[in-house]
Amino acid sequence: MINRLSPTWNKSITPYIRTVDVIDEGDRHGYGMTARFTLDNGREIGVVGLPHPYPTRTGPTWSYLIECQGWTLIDAGPIGALPTLEIGLKSLGHKLEHIDNLIITHGHQDHDGNAYDLLKASGAELWAHELYFSFISLGQPNRLLDSSSPLHRVLKKARGEEENWYRKNYAKSDHSKWMNYYKRYMGDRKKILDERLPANYIHDLDEIDDLTFLHTPGHAIDEICIASDGAIFTGDHVLPQISPHPTHKQPYPDQILDTMPSQYLDSSKYYGLVPYLRSLGKVLALDNHTTLFPAHRLFSNNRF
């Protein structure tokens, strides 16, 4: 049953949303929720809250279904999310096989962990920023710390304390579980390359029909936002209630330097707080009535 809600936002601030129809309610944080937003221009945006295999304060990863060169899904969610996505798509009147394109906002496991399974099940084409493909077989948490940096020394100490706390509070079986999860995640990313699944490289300000891609590094070096008709899909670049953590300054791993596109070789432009603030400026330059559709916290504590 569709439950048409009155908007719980200030219409003068986000004037482009006409209605939101909640199809499956889910819980107070949005897990299990499926909904449909309708913009004032008539565009419909389907949303499905995809679960994580571990506890997280960010809530589900929101996957968005829009019509653009066929049916396009924005973010695939974590490993294991395919059954929930399939249920959500069915509630929206679709099947996995209807997905023609999959856009990944950035290469973190809660956004692309389900990508390989989805691409194989649907036959869709993958779209991601070209830096995503530079790191696809390596992963992005390359925590290359500089011991001469006071900040990096603090980060290293904090990570050590976090690891010690984890080992004291979780059983070895839990540790093995997450290690196996990570191995599967990295294995699935590598399969995208090895099996030569259809893939398209996105660049800053590329356009597909009425979608415009903005390269917004900061939270991740390959982060993109997708702007269209008074709406912008922000991935983890801009989130309600919480601030995404930016990367810290670091060099690229040596093993990818030979394949890195030449225009990205200066890592200081893509890692750290300064690139993140510059990227926020790109979003601020848009119409200030633009409605943001984030990858987390679209719905939380029983409200949008």
Side-chain angles (χ1 to χ4, degrees):
M1 178 180 293
I2 293 178
N3 174 22
R4 176 155 289 181
L5 298 182
S6 299
T8 56
W9 49 78
N10 185 330
K11 187 71 173 173
S12 67
I13 296 173
T14 53
Y16 297 120
I17 295 177
R18 183 188 302 165
T19 59
V20 55
D21 302 319
V22 177
I23 301 168
D24 297 318
E25 287 192 359
D27 71 7
R28 65 190 300 270
H29 296 302
Y31 287 103
M33 176 179 281
T34 302
R36 182 186 294 109
F37 286 82
T38 304
L39 304 184
D40 274 348
N41 62 11
R43 181 168 213 156
E44 293 186 349
I45 301 171
V47 298
V48 182
L50 298 178
H52 299 263
Y54 52 83
T56 172
R57 293 177 296 164
T58 61
T61 296
W62 292 96
S63 184
Y64 295 93
L65 180 69
I66 59 174
E67 194 168 5
C68 178
Q69 292 192 358
W71 289 102
T72 294
L73 196 72
I74 299 174
D75 281 336
I79 282 178
L82 195 66
T84 302
L85 177 61
E86 191 168 17
I87 292 169
L89 290 174
K90 184 177 181 181
S91 295
L92 292 167
H94 292 279
K95 301 177 181 179
L96 291 172
E97 295 83 357
H98 292 174
I99 306 302
D100 300 292
N101 306 288
L102 169 63
I103 300 173
I104 297 297
T105 60
H106 61 293
H108 289 168
Q109 61 81 28
D110 53 332
H111 298 262
D112 73 338
N114 187 40
Y116 175 75
D117 288 347
L118 174 58
L119 293 170
K120 294 293 285 187
S122 65
E125 294 189 8
L126 174 63
W127 297 77
H129 190 270
E130 60 181 330
L131 281 174
Y132 174 82
F133 297 98
S134 295
F135 281 81
I136 194 169
S137 62
L138 187 65
Q140 290 194 25
N142 297 291
R143 299 168 174 176
L144 302 177
L145 298 177
D146 179 359
S147 60
S148 67
S149 163
L151 174 60
H152 284 204
R153 288 199 297 270
V154 171
L155 287 171
K156 185 175 182 178
K157 180 181 178 182
R159 286 185 183 140
E161 291 173 350
E162 184 179 39
E163 287 177 8
N164 289 336
W165 180 89
Y166 178 86
R167 293 182 186 282
K168 287 179 181 178
N169 288 276
Y170 287 88
K172 287 185 178 180
S173 58
D174 289 324
H175 181 67
S176 297
K177 174 183 175 182
W178 301 127
M179 286 300 295
N180 290 333
Y181 176 89
Y182 183 72
K183 287 178 181 177
R184 179 187 165 190
Y185 167 62
M186 291 306 303
D188 282 355
R189 282 168 57 111
K190 191 170 182 293
K191 287 177 186 176
I192 292 173
L193 287 183
D194 292 345
E195 297 180 18
R196 301 184 181 222
L197 299 185
N200 302 274
Y201 290 30
I202 291 171
H203 311 85
D204 189 36
L205 301 181
D206 277 356
E207 295 182 354
I208 302 175
D209 291 347
D210 61 344
L211 303 183
T212 300
F213 296 99
L214 305 177
H215 184 206
T216 51
H219 173 73
I221 61 169
D222 60 339
E223 181 88 53
I224 57 171
C225 293
I226 306 151
S228 175
D229 290 336
I232 183 168
F233 303 91
T234 59
D236 281 3
H237 180 54
V238 181
L239 299 176
Q241 301 179 322
I242 53 177
S243 295
H245 63 80
T247 57
H248 58 70
K249 290 182 180 179
Q250 65 182 58
Y252 294 125
D254 291 339
Q255 56 265 52
I256 67 168
L257 288 177
D258 290 341
T259 60
M260 178 73 62
S262 59
Q263 65 268 36
Y264 302 110
L265 285 176
D266 184 355
S267 64
S268 67
K269 293 181 180 179
Y270 307 103
Y271 281 118
L273 181 59
V274 171
Y276 179 60
L277 295 176
R278 286 199 189 106
S279 296
L280 286 175
K282 282 188 178 181
V283 176
L284 284 171
L286 301 174
D287 175 358
N288 63 0
H289 291 302
T290 298
T291 297
L292 275 62
F293 289 97
H296 303 292
R297 297 292 180 99
L298 172 73
F299 182 89
S300 182
N301 295 307
N302 285 321
R303 71 184 185 92
F304 286 100

